[in-house]
Amino acid sequence: MLARRLASPFAAAAAAARLLSTAAPAGGGGRGAGRGETLGKRLLQLIYPKRSAVVVLRRWAEEGRSVQKYQLNRVVRELRKYRRYKHALEICEWMRTQPEMRLLPGDHAVHLDLVAKVRGLASAEKFFEDMPERAKAPSTCNALLHAYVQHGVREKAEAMLAEMARAGYLTCALPFNHMMSMYMASGELERVPEMIKQLRRYTVPDLVTYNIWLTYCSKKSNVKSAEKVFDLMKDDRVVPDWMTFSLLASIYINAGLHVKGRDALVEMEKRASKKERAAYSSLLTLYASLSDRGNLDRVWNKMKQTFRKFCDTEYKCMLTSLTRFDDIAEAMDIYREWESASGTRDSRIPNTILSYYIKKGMIEKAESFLSHIVEKRVKPSYSTWELFVWGYLGNNRTDKVLECLKKALSCLEKWEPNQQLATSIFSHVEKTGDIEVAEKLLVMFRDAGYVTTEMYNSILRAYVKAELMPLIVEERMEQDKVVMDEETRRLLKLTSKYPIGEVSTLMS
């Protein structure tokens, strides 16, 4: 949903340490404290996960310095902000061993959330079970519910919500927001209105509720429902944020209501700021979808004046927007700026340029650009090679299709099957009647853990085209755990009158 700016670990540590050092109380460091030395600084400068926060805490105490709970809570908050969960968890665990630190349910809730992130759901459940009864409050129940939602464990999430209802813990919108997010992620959109009705029986919707509700309207492409939700929001005196107007603008623009879309973008931009930085990326995308080059450039220039440095997400949004205007020259200028300014070497940024070249059929330009990014030590990703698979399919370069598919699959530990990609490749190969390529494809997809009946049917159609008979098809399908259908049987019967094609024996 929300685009998130992720700084490098070093930059994040430095920024957070500066924040905490300015907040340190005068004289709070104890004897022997160096100038500007704070516990927060020490903890945030650990950076590397293998280093221990507990060692830092022990040394600080051994130096005779005081450790305040509120200081540690601030450090944990900063560490979570920059996704340094291991060190945050170590601090929480250390606090739990200090008898003088009185932990509240909210502290246990943060601890549980970190356990789920670092050690997994089973450990989080065990942590909840072992918690003192007084700590099993709405905040800790919400933390466990959130863990269930994050791990997609629907049954346990629904059971937890029911348990919270029985305990009288459904006093705010948060648990319902968690549930609606889960249903949205799983595609069960019909459960969202049902959950909102349930929410209204216990409490009132908040800003997050309304933004999820508008997201639901967006997925349903329902303008009238979105406007009704926005009116209800005003009735409930919930103040909209930039995301609210971003969602409204998107709904209007997709419905062709460009005047209303522009009005929503004006309201959205009023709420964009240094603190709400993600709004700018959304503005770029939405103005591009309106084909409004003037406002696209204006927002980009405004960002240059507002921020010292752009993040990868912002570069990607601008590059994608420029390619929609076919302005590849300006896109390349901005790409070179990213190349010199960013140290991430994130392949998603050059992929925007590659995607443009490939969609325009400029395969040689794409190949040349690929060579360039590799020289600049950008490692091509699965998505990079998939782009080339599509490009070479369009150019009937079957040998290159197989080469790039192999490279794409080698980038992943586990492939999430792309049925459209697999179908398109097999459809192309079966038309050529090249049974050797068809059989090689089957081996590649088998190694990736994805074989279907339709793949075998496609291979059989290639055999029909080549007027050859495959061997041991039934045995191979049984081994691959796929079943024959009527089309398989028809094709086997058709190929049975042809001479044997020995490739099937070799590739099996």
Side-chain angles (χ1 to χ4, degrees):
M1 290 179 66
L2 299 181
R4 189 174 291 182
R5 179 176 180 266
L6 298 178
S8 70
F10 294 95
R18 282 195 300 273
L19 172 68
L20 286 157
S21 63
T22 57
R31 70 176 190 273
R35 187 180 177 185
E37 178 81 286
T38 68
L39 178 57
K41 257 188 183 177
R42 283 197 188 179
L43 289 165
L44 289 160
Q45 286 172 351
L46 283 171
I47 299 175
Y48 299 107
K50 287 185 179 179
R51 293 181 180 175
S52 171
V54 175
V55 170
V56 173
L57 288 163
R58 283 176 184 165
R59 283 179 184 167
W60 186 266
E62 286 167 4
E63 291 167 10
R65 310 190 192 194
S66 62
V67 180
Q68 301 295 326
K69 180 190 165 192
Y70 80 90
Q71 291 174 316
L72 293 182
N73 282 342
R74 290 194 68 169
V75 175
V76 168
R77 188 161 60 246
E78 287 301 308
L79 289 169
R80 291 175 80 201
K81 178 180 174 182
Y82 294 109
R83 300 190 178 191
R84 289 170 54 190
Y85 301 127
K86 176 184 173 289
H87 289 146
L89 177 58
E90 287 172 349
I91 294 169
C92 287
E93 290 177 337
W94 184 86
M95 289 169 68
R96 206 177 182 195
T97 64
Q98 306 306 301
E100 73 279 5
M101 288 194 181
R102 184 170 171 270
L103 299 181
L104 302 174
D107 300 314
H108 289 287
V110 170
H111 194 159
L112 189 153
D113 178 69
L114 290 166
V115 169
K117 284 178 167 65
V118 176
R119 299 195 183 122
L121 185 58
S123 295
E125 289 179 309
K126 181 70 167 55
F127 179 86
F128 185 81
E129 288 171 12
D130 295 342
M131 209 183 282
E133 284 303 315
R134 60 182 170 75
K136 293 178 181 178
S139 57
T140 45
C141 290
N142 266 320
L144 185 56
L145 174 62
H146 183 243
Y148 287 141
V149 168
Q150 289 288 297
H151 287 79
V153 188
R154 174 181 159 168
E155 294 79 9
K156 288 187 175 183
E158 290 174 338
M160 174 56 75
L161 189 74
E163 187 63 34
M164 290 176 73
R166 285 191 288 272
Y169 288 169
L170 299 180
T171 56
C172 69
L174 182 61
F176 298 100
N177 294 341
H178 287 326
M179 296 300 293
M180 285 189 286
S181 295
M182 181 180 70
Y183 292 135
M184 291 284 285
S186 64
E188 298 174 90
L189 300 183
E190 71 282 354
R191 300 297 302 273
V192 173
E194 173 191 321
M195 191 54 55
I196 289 167
K197 285 181 184 177
Q198 191 175 342
L199 182 158
R200 284 189 172 278
R201 287 202 296 270
Y202 288 95
T203 183
V204 293
D206 62 10
L207 175 61
V208 175
T209 308
Y210 277 110
N211 284 344
I212 293 172
W213 202 349
L214 284 171
T215 305
Y216 162 81
C217 295
S218 176
K219 289 186 179 293
K220 288 287 188 179
S221 301
N222 195 325
V223 176
K224 286 185 178 179
S225 292
E227 290 179 330
K228 185 179 178 182
V229 169
F230 189 63
D231 288 339
L232 284 171
M233 189 177 187
K234 288 187 283 188
D235 292 343
D236 283 340
R237 297 183 180 179
V238 175
V239 180
D241 64 354
W242 72 266
M243 176 58 75
T244 311
F245 288 105
S246 175
L247 289 164
L248 281 171
S250 178
I251 292 166
Y252 285 135
I253 291 166
N254 289 336
L257 301 172
H258 291 178
V259 174
K260 286 188 173 184
R262 286 179 189 279
D263 290 343
L265 287 176
V266 169
E267 292 301 319
M268 178 184 166
E269 191 168 345
K270 288 177 184 176
R271 291 156 178 82
S273 65
K274 283 188 176 182
K275 286 187 177 180
E276 300 294 349
R277 184 166 180 163
Y280 286 102
S281 295
S282 185
L283 280 167
L284 294 174
T285 301
L286 289 166
Y287 275 125
S289 66
L290 276 172
S291 299
D292 188 340
R293 180 61 188 272
N295 271 312
L296 176 73
D297 291 338
R298 181 186 60 77
V299 171
W300 183 249
N301 289 328
K302 184 177 179 180
M303 290 169 68
K304 285 181 178 179
Q305 295 165 8
T306 307
F307 306 113
R308 184 177 60 85
K309 187 179 178 183
F310 292 137
C311 67
D312 285 357
T313 299
E314 290 155 351
Y315 276 115
K316 186 175 183 294
C317 283
M318 188 56 177
L319 287 169
T320 303
S321 299
L322 287 169
T323 57
R324 291 183 70 165
F325 288 99
D326 282 332
D327 194 343
I328 191 62
E330 179 67 16
M332 283 304 302
D333 285 343
I334 289 178
Y335 176 78
R336 282 188 282 268
E337 180 186 315
W338 170 82
E339 205 171 55
S340 63
S342 175
T344 64
R345 300 189 181 91
D346 187 339
S347 65
R348 288 174 295 185
I349 312 304
N351 279 356
T352 58
I353 305 292
L354 286 170
S355 177
Y356 174 82
Y357 285 141
I358 289 168
K359 284 177 183 176
K360 294 291 181 180
M362 303 162 72
I363 198 72
E364 290 181 1
K365 283 261 191 185
E367 290 171 336
S368 175
F369 187 68
L370 177 65
S371 299
H372 169 77
I373 69 171
V374 170
E375 284 175 13
K376 294 292 184 179
R377 293 187 294 153
V378 174
K379 185 179 180 183
S381 63
Y382 168 83
S383 299
T384 309
W385 296 119
E386 186 184 305
L387 284 169
F388 276 98
V389 169
W390 287 111
Y392 288 128
L393 270 175
N395 281 6
N396 296 316
R397 301 269 299 277
T398 307
D399 57 331
K400 285 289 190 179
V401 169
L402 262 65
E403 180 186 325
C404 291
L405 179 64
K406 185 176 181 180
K407 287 178 179 177
L409 296 173
S410 70
C411 291
L412 304 171
E413 287 186 15
K414 184 180 179 183
W415 186 53
E416 291 295 330
N418 182 334
Q419 187 176 352
Q420 184 186 6
L421 181 72
T423 302
S424 296
I425 298 172
F426 272 104
S427 178
H428 170 78
V429 171
E430 75 177 54
K431 288 172 187 174
T432 67
D434 192 329
I435 60 172
E436 185 174 352
V437 169
E439 291 282 6
K440 281 181 179 177
L441 266 177
L442 180 65
V443 172
M444 288 171 69
F445 281 112
R446 179 188 293 134
D447 290 343
Y450 181 66
V451 181
T452 66
T453 302
E454 182 50 36
M455 284 181 178
Y456 268 99
N457 289 348
S458 184
I459 291 170
L460 288 172
R461 284 191 284 270
Y463 274 96
V464 171
K465 180 84 174 175
E467 297 188 349
L468 292 169
M469 181 178 73
L471 292 177
I472 58 170
V473 172
E474 189 171 352
E475 292 89 333
R476 286 196 287 158
M477 289 183 75
E478 186 177 344
Q479 188 177 353
D480 287 329
K481 296 184 172 133
V482 291
V483 295
M484 289 189 181
D485 61 9
E486 289 303 313
E487 176 69 356
T488 316
R489 294 185 181 91
R490 184 187 73 81
L491 290 166
L492 282 172
K493 186 176 180 181
L494 197 57
T495 58
S496 64
K497 62 186 180 183
Y498 297 134
I500 293 171
E502 296 185 2
V503 170
S504 61
T505 309
L506 295 171
M507 299 308 292
S508 65

